[in-house]
Amino acid sequence: AGLGAVLGATNDYDSAFRLGQLCFQAQEKYGLHAGATYGTYLLIDHWRRPLHMAFEPLLKAFEAGMKDGEINDAYWCIVTYSCFYFHSGLPLSPIKDDLDAHCRDMVRYGQFMPLRILQPYVQLLENVQTDSKERVKVEGSVIKDIDSFITVCKVSKHYIGLNAVNICELML
């Protein structure tokens, strides 16, 4: 998947996509691996196929990763699924409760890197589903203090978490 991402970055999308397909074939032959699944979908597959086609495989890889003890890779599957779902144009209300539960579980399993990416999206869902006039900030019951959240991301050099906040604020 990493080499496919490099090829994609050089605009060789066809070769990148073919490498991604090889990753999927290897997973079928040798067994599903959550890390390879989220990596291939996140870095390659979306260049040639609609985002929604990744939903089922990512959720399946999450289940397999949790079963096999690949907790970190499993939760990266959830983050990838969530980001793709957000950008797919589908109604958002069906996934809110599931994402809330995943956030709680990420805390329980100590998965703070993926959590810091998922939390702004879950907070955004809450903000847009209420009649709150405070929609300009990604803040509420999930992220109680956005400034503290941003400070934690900066101190831990979690730039993808900061990027998630920026994307969510732009969506508001």
Side-chain angles (χ1 to χ4, degrees):
L3 181 56
V6 171
L7 288 170
T10 62
N11 297 325
D12 189 355
Y13 300 116
D14 292 330
S15 296
F17 187 75
R18 281 195 303 275
L19 273 175
Q21 296 308 299
L22 286 173
C23 286
F24 291 141
Q25 289 171 9
Q27 288 179 35
E28 285 180 27
K29 184 173 182 175
Y30 300 108
L32 185 64
H33 184 281
T37 300
Y38 90 80
T40 304
Y41 280 106
L42 180 65
L43 301 172
I44 300 171
D45 199 65
H46 60 85
W47 291 324
R48 293 287 187 249
R49 294 199 296 185
L51 296 176
H52 68 84
M53 293 183 75
F55 295 168
E56 185 178 333
L58 285 166
L59 292 174
K60 188 176 172 183
F62 166 74
E63 293 295 331
M66 293 301 284
K67 180 181 169 206
D68 295 341
E70 300 172 6
I71 307 297
N72 187 262
D73 288 338
Y75 279 115
W76 282 109
C77 287
I78 290 299
V79 169
T80 303
Y81 163 80
S82 304
C83 292
F84 281 11
Y85 195 100
F86 241 86
H87 297 288
S88 70
L90 294 171
L92 298 174
S93 56
I95 65 167
K96 172 78 168 72
D97 291 339
D98 288 342
L99 296 184
D100 281 338
H102 285 303
C103 282
R104 287 190 301 276
D105 288 345
M106 285 179 188
V107 170
R108 194 177 78 205
Y109 284 107
Q111 298 299 311
F112 297 106
M113 291 296 279
L115 176 67
R116 299 266 189 271
I117 295 170
L118 191 56
Q119 282 178 315
Y121 285 97
V122 175
Q123 185 60 61
L124 176 64
L125 274 174
E126 181 180 293
N127 288 15
V128 298
Q129 290 178 343
T130 63
D131 292 330
S132 171
K133 302 219 186 289
E134 270 303 310
R135 284 190 174 179
V136 295
K137 276 186 138 180
V138 182
E139 195 169 72
S141 69
V142 179
I143 298 177
K144 298 188 182 353
D145 178 3
I146 191 63
D147 296 325
S148 294
F149 180 87
I150 289 171
T151 299
V152 167
C153 286
K154 285 180 178 177
V155 168
S156 63
K157 297 185 182 345
H158 195 328
Y159 302 115
I160 300 172
L162 291 171
N163 188 50
V165 170
N166 291 334
I167 289 170
C168 291
E169 286 180 345
L170 286 172
M171 288 182 192
L172 286 174

